[in-house]
Amino acid sequence: MRLILLGPPGAGKGTQAQLLMKRYGIPQLSTGDMLRASVKAGTPLGVEVKSIMESGALVPDDLIVRLISDRLGDSDCLNGFILDGFPRTEAQATSLDQMLSDRGISLDCVVSITVDQRALVDRIVGRFTCKSCGIGYHDTLNRPRVDGVCDACGGKEFFRREDDKAETVVARLTAYIQQTAPIIPYYKEKGRFAEVNGMGEIDVVQELIVNDLEGRSK
Ligand code: AP5
Ligand code: MG
């Protein structure tokens, strides 16, 4: 299965991608996670994008397209993948079409997760992530079962993202509205597009997505 998860910052793309990854055994390709790994490792790409990410703006298309194009060639993507946070501009959407047609493959579905703007800010400022396995949590909405211990891997160290400050969230939402939301009509026209209400609990949203992917309606 090859799919795109679209949605504003904090919509739950990463949370849902991790559940889908387990369910279908296909990798989550999160451009945000890849960029954060480059920043952490201090690679030339990481040095170039660090301040852009901290400002909440989008990283230049050519850098992102190269990142995804390289990753799509990996063997774990042969049976499918979940694109999380890519494409985010019209130029990225066009480049993705080219990458897919070069490989003779196509998308099965584009899922757009919608969430009220106020909830987005709450979700983002309360988010924290397990340092060892990358699973996301929230101070009030999605706590680990045992305080300070990751449900998935037992890790005890967590981090908060540099761009998860209330003042940066506004810039990220603006980037979404101005640069990413305009690609939604493009995918709607292509078909196999689903809009999913992301305001429910995590498992409920997952069920809505899976029902859609598997062609059932509720
Ligand atoms: P990226 O890492 O992609 O961030 P984002 O799009 O801003 O989205 P988030 O990761 O903040 O939100 P999410 O939808 O994954 O929500 P999550 O599941 O964590 O990008 C970061 C930066 O990298 C960009 O600003 C840009 O600079 C750069 N970048 C990345 N890709 C790029 C591209 N293609 N082009 C250019 N630049 C790019 O959930 C959020 C919180 O809510 C969590 O705490 C979670 O536990 C909680 N939660 C989730 N679902 C629910 C629910 N249903 N109910 C209650 N709580 C929930
Ligand atoms: Mg994410």
Side-chain angles (χ1 to χ4, degrees):
M1 181 173 311
R2 301 178 199 98
L3 73 134
I4 296 177
L5 290 184
L6 277 178
K13 302 181 295 296
T15 304
Q16 296 301 327
Q18 281 161 357
L19 294 171
L20 292 169
M21 181 169 72
K22 263 202 224 153
R23 182 184 285 263
Y24 295 114
I26 51 175
Q28 166 198 19
L29 309 188
S30 159
T31 41
D33 287 349
M34 292 179 204
L35 293 168
R36 279 184 289 281
S38 302
V39 171
K40 195 172 166 207
T43 64
L45 173 67
V47 171
E48 191 170 348
V49 302
K50 185 173 188 291
S51 60
I52 303 174
M53 292 177 76
E54 284 174 8
S55 75
L58 294 184
V59 166
D61 290 329
D62 56 329
L63 300 179
I64 295 289
V65 166
R66 212 174 313 141
L67 206 60
I68 283 290
S69 175
D70 290 347
R71 184 68 182 85
L72 283 184
D74 291 343
S75 58
D76 64 336
C77 293
L78 279 175
N79 289 330
F81 45 78
I82 305 156
L83 290 168
D84 161 10
F86 176 90
R88 250 165 148 112
T89 63
E90 282 175 30
Q92 290 180 21
T94 311
S95 297
L96 175 63
D97 280 350
Q98 190 61 51
M99 283 181 235
L100 296 174
S101 86
D102 288 349
R103 290 178 164 79
I105 55 178
S106 57
L107 291 169
D108 294 299
C109 196
V110 178
V111 176
S112 171
I113 307 175
T114 60
V115 171
D116 295 350
Q117 191 149 321
R118 193 142 161 228
L120 294 175
V121 179
D122 289 346
R123 286 186 186 185
I124 290 173
V125 296
R127 170 170 49 197
F128 61 96
T129 305
C130 174
K131 252 191 186 171
S132 39
C133 74
I135 293 279
Y137 294 99
H138 189 278
D139 290 329
T140 53
L141 302 168
N142 180 24
R143 297 190 63 80
R145 282 191 292 273
V146 177
D147 264 355
V149 182
C150 175
D151 294 347
C153 75
K156 292 190 174 133
E157 288 189 82
F158 299 86
F159 70 92
R160 286 182 194 264
R161 276 169 45 178
E162 282 297 327
D163 59 348
D164 276 354
K165 301 181 179 94
E167 58 272 25
T168 316
V169 173
V170 176
R172 287 165 57 196
L173 282 170
T174 306
Y176 176 79
I177 292 163
Q178 292 181 347
Q179 291 165 276
T180 308
I183 67 177
I184 288 176
Y186 175 72
Y187 284 116
K188 270 188 181 162
E189 262 175 41
K190 279 165 114 35
R192 284 304 282 143
F193 175 89
E195 197 163 84
V196 166
N197 179 358
M199 287 299 288
E201 293 198 357
I202 291 168
D203 291 348
V204 173
V205 179
Q206 176 74 186
E207 206 188 325
L208 291 174
I209 295 175
V210 169
N211 284 345
D212 204 89
L213 294 177
E214 296 181 4
R216 285 173 285 156
S217 56
K218 272 226 151 178

